[in-house]
Amino acid sequence: MEKIYWESIEVNHQKFFFTVTSKGLNFVSSPGRYLSEIFEFYPNNRYNYQFMYDEKVTNIYLDELTEYFNKKRKSFDLPLDLANIGTDLQHQVWDAIQKIPYGDTVTYKQLAENVGKPKAIRAVASAVAKNPILIVVPCHRVIRASGELGDYRGGKDIKKELLDFEKQPAAKQTLIKKLPLPRLSQLGRPDL
């Protein structure tokens, strides 16, 4: 039985679950869905997984996701475990998706060309839809040639929110902090 470590992160009142194996991140859920969504991607492993909660294992993954949502990270350095899922084409598509720069988008047609399958747009779109690792493998950055967003496992509203989020500049922090006013008892002191 394989141990799967789970954790969750809440963003704008939407909870995302994610799971980690001994090799790396293998699943990020749709927002608002349960952890059991993993079995839509790993149906044969329903009785082969032992779900565990261990912050020591999941913290580095949680930290990077938190940094992303706090606009302190634009790409992920996390190890991924996609060994027990997907076809060769799906792996090529998922690798190509990870190369789409933060804040940019590509069309399904461009993505098909990027993986060397310019006529296999539908197969490429299907591979995008079967991505088990939302956000880290940023399939939300793939849109239709018409400029429409297209479908997204997390829902079109979440896809739009993610794209808008990535296009917004990070909030600037003031370099000069406002000093507190002195108390009346401190007025007239030479060391003030």
Side-chain angles (χ1 to χ4, degrees):
M1 187 163 279
E2 185 177 1
K3 290 181 180 178
I4 297 284
Y5 299 91
W6 69 272
E7 180 60 271
S8 65
I9 183 171
E10 189 169 319
V11 181
N12 293 336
H13 308 293
Q14 296 282 338
K15 188 176 274 195
F16 292 84
F17 287 96
F18 64 90
T19 59
V20 177
T21 69
S22 60
K23 296 176 188 166
L25 184 70
N26 75 325
F27 175 73
V28 175
S29 76
S30 303
R33 295 279 308 269
Y34 293 107
L35 183 56
S36 59
E37 184 187 19
I38 191 173
F39 298 119
E40 292 175 22
F41 296 88
Y42 300 93
N44 299 331
N45 295 350
R46 181 176 289 274
Y47 302 106
N48 296 332
Y49 285 157
Q50 178 183 4
F51 286 93
M52 318 241 343
Y53 183 83
D54 188 343
E55 290 177 351
K56 287 179 256 169
V57 175
T58 58
N59 264 351
I60 61 166
Y61 301 90
L62 181 60
D63 289 347
E64 286 204 18
L65 283 164
T66 301
E67 289 170 3
Y68 168 83
F69 284 111
N70 287 333
K71 290 205 170 276
K72 294 180 179 173
R73 173 174 292 279
K74 293 185 176 185
S75 63
F76 294 93
D77 301 319
L78 300 169
L80 303 181
D81 180 6
L82 294 167
N84 297 325
I85 189 172
T87 64
D88 287 341
L89 176 63
Q90 287 170 338
H91 282 268
Q92 289 174 341
V93 169
W94 299 335
D95 288 342
I97 289 171
Q98 292 177 70
K99 294 175 184 157
I100 304 169
Y102 179 93
D104 285 353
T105 57
V106 299
T107 65
Y108 291 98
K109 181 179 179 186
Q110 290 170 317
L111 187 59
E113 291 167 356
N114 292 348
V115 297
K117 308 277 187 196
K119 297 188 185 231
I121 297 169
R122 285 182 187 248
V124 166
S126 175
V128 172
K130 292 178 181 168
N131 168 26
I133 306 177
L134 293 184
I135 299 163
V136 177
V137 177
C139 56
H140 60 275
R141 297 179 189 157
V142 184
I143 62 172
R144 292 183 176 162
S146 65
E148 293 176 26
L149 295 181
D151 292 329
Y152 185 62
R153 174 165 54 104
K156 287 184 181 181
D157 291 341
I158 299 295
K159 184 172 187 172
K160 181 173 178 7
E161 283 180 34
L162 286 169
L163 291 172
D164 291 345
F165 169 80
E166 290 185 357
K167 289 182 180 166
Q168 295 170 355
K172 293 183 180 177
Q173 295 181 357
T174 10
L175 297 176
I176 301 172
K177 292 184 178 180
K178 187 177 179 183
L179 295 173
L181 292 172
R183 288 177 283 181
L184 287 175
S185 62
Q186 294 174 316
L187 291 176
R189 287 181 46 197
D191 62 336
L192 183 60

